[in-house]
């Protein structure tokens, strides 16, 4: 039987190079598909301009008054703006439409505190620019702040410096990105979708990471009053209390990191 011919080294290198190139193309197509899936066809609309996540079957914000809900749950829930100072750092799980950032920036500007508010948000599934534009139509103008933020987000900005604000949006699964973050927050906005529909963002290990990335006496607030969320926050090192919720929601959760 005839012995098989062994390709010349140059031929082998050429084949390997082609295979590597094809692998890169496949990886690019795969990643592009993930990005497209994460940004398009992921919302339906309620009451005109209120987005509903198809992935999690949940509203992005309160359909009656999203800005008022943010002010009640996340600002007042963290004793803000009374605690504001130069360099005060808010961190957030779930950027969504950017409404929480907009409301926090608005209250910072109204407070008259000199310097800049720092805002870091962790987001796994960023909204498409057209969805952001449409959702923002239902927000108050906030003396032009809405337009400024809308323009930046629809241009794909992920880090930006604005008057009184330094903001960063960290893309990816928070279970992977938060442990790698080298910052610490003074206040957390825990704004993932409903724990029943998005349990990954309310996991024990992730809430422990939240605690380890919180300054002493730092706080956290969330719209949910689910018992397992409160217990996990307590296990992570927070003192937890229940407070009046917004609108038709009876209760919410406030937390303060124990010393």
């Amino acid at each position: 039987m005839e012995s098989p011919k062994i390709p010349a080294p140059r031929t082998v290198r050429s084949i390997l190079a082609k295979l590597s190139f094809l692998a890169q193309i496949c990886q690019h197509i795969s990643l592009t598909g993930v990005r497209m899936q994460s940004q398009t066809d992921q919302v339906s609309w309620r009451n005109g301009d209120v987005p509903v996540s198809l992935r999690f079957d949940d509203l992005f914000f309160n359909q009656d008054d999203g800005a008022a809900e943010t002010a009640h749950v996340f600002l007042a829930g963290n004793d803000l703006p009374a605690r504001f100072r130069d360099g005060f750092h808010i961190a957030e799980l779930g950027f969504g439409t950017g409404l929480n950032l907009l409301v926090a920036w608005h209250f910072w500007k109204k407070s008259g505190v000199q310097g800049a508010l720092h805002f870091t948000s962790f987001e796994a599934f960023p909204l498409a620019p057209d969805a952001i534009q449409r959702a923002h139509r239902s927000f108050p103008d906030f003396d032009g702040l809405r337009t400024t933020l809308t323009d930046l987000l629809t241009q794909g900005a992920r880090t930006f410096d604005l008057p009184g604000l330094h903001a960063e949006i960290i893309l990816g699964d928070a279970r992977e990105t938060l442990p790698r973050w080298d910052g610490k927050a003074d206040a957390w906005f825990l704004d993932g979708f409903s724990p029943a529909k998005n349990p990954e963002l309310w996991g024990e290990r992730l809430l422990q990471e939240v605690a380890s990335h919180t300054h002493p006496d730092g706080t956290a607030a969330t719209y949910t009053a689910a018992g397992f969320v409160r217990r996990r926050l307590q296990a992570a090192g927070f003192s937890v209390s229940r407070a009046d919720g917004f609108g038709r929601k009876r209760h919410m959760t406030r937390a303060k990191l124990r010393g």
Side-chain angles (χ1 to χ4, degrees):
M1 188 171 76
E2 221 177 275
S3 300
K5 292 183 179 180
I6 300 175
R10 181 177 298 177
T11 304
V12 172
R13 288 196 296 270
S14 175
I15 292 171
L16 291 175
K18 290 178 180 178
L19 289 173
S20 175
F21 177 69
L22 287 172
Q24 291 177 23
I25 292 177
C26 291
Q27 183 182 25
H28 174 74
I29 292 173
S30 174
L31 289 174
T32 302
V34 170
R35 284 197 296 269
M36 291 301 292
Q37 184 181 15
S38 70
Q39 291 188 351
T40 63
D41 300 326
Q42 64 167 319
V43 296
S44 61
W45 299 91
R46 188 176 298 177
N47 291 354
D49 298 320
V50 178
V52 180
S53 170
L54 297 179
R55 182 185 299 271
F56 297 107
D57 187 28
D58 203 1
L59 293 163
F60 276 81
F61 51 82
N62 185 281
Q63 61 184 327
D64 297 322
D65 194 335
E69 179 188 44
T70 290
H72 176 88
V73 174
F74 298 114
L75 273 294
N78 281 288
D79 295 321
L80 304 176
R83 295 170 57 210
F84 279 157
R85 54 171 171 73
D86 183 20
F88 190 88
H89 201 149
I90 294 171
E92 173 184 55
L93 294 183
F95 182 76
T97 62
L99 175 60
N100 295 342
L101 169 58
L102 179 62
V103 174
W105 186 25
H106 167 69
F107 274 89
W108 173 272
K109 297 280 284 183
K110 283 184 61 179
S111 74
V113 175
Q114 298 300 306
L117 171 69
H118 291 241
F119 194 104
T120 302
S121 187
F122 297 84
E123 174 60 59
F125 305 108
L127 279 172
D130 59 342
I132 289 174
Q133 284 184 320
R134 181 170 175 178
H136 281 209
R137 292 204 299 254
S138 66
F139 303 160
D141 181 69
F142 290 129
D143 299 322
L145 300 185
R146 182 192 65 187
T147 300
T148 299
L149 184 61
T150 303
D151 291 345
L152 284 168
L153 292 177
T154 53
Q155 291 166 19
R158 297 296 177 226
T159 302
F160 35 86
D161 287 288
L162 296 166
L165 176 69
H166 173 78
E168 178 182 21
I169 305 166
I170 298 176
L171 299 182
D173 190 324
R175 293 171 295 178
E176 299 174 0
T177 56
L178 179 53
R180 297 197 296 264
W181 186 48
D182 60 2
K184 284 196 173 186
D186 297 291
W188 277 92
F189 295 177
L190 304 180
D191 195 23
F193 291 110
S194 165
K197 299 177 179 180
N198 184 24
E200 293 81 6
L201 218 56
W202 305 93
E204 185 176 354
R205 291 183 62 183
L206 183 56
L207 293 181
Q208 288 173 347
E209 288 292 340
V210 167
S212 68
H213 289 84
T214 303
H215 285 299
D217 295 323
T219 61
T222 175
Y223 61 86
T224 183
F228 81 90
V229 171
R230 297 201 310 271
R231 290 190 293 273
R232 288 175 180 178
L233 285 168
Q234 288 173 331
F238 287 94
S239 296
V240 177
S241 61
R242 200 165 61 171
D244 291 337
F246 177 81
R248 287 169 284 184
K249 199 156 183 8
R250 290 183 61 191
H251 299 113
M252 56 171 277
T253 300
R254 301 178 62 179
K256 183 175 182 179
L257 191 66
R258 295 192 294 266

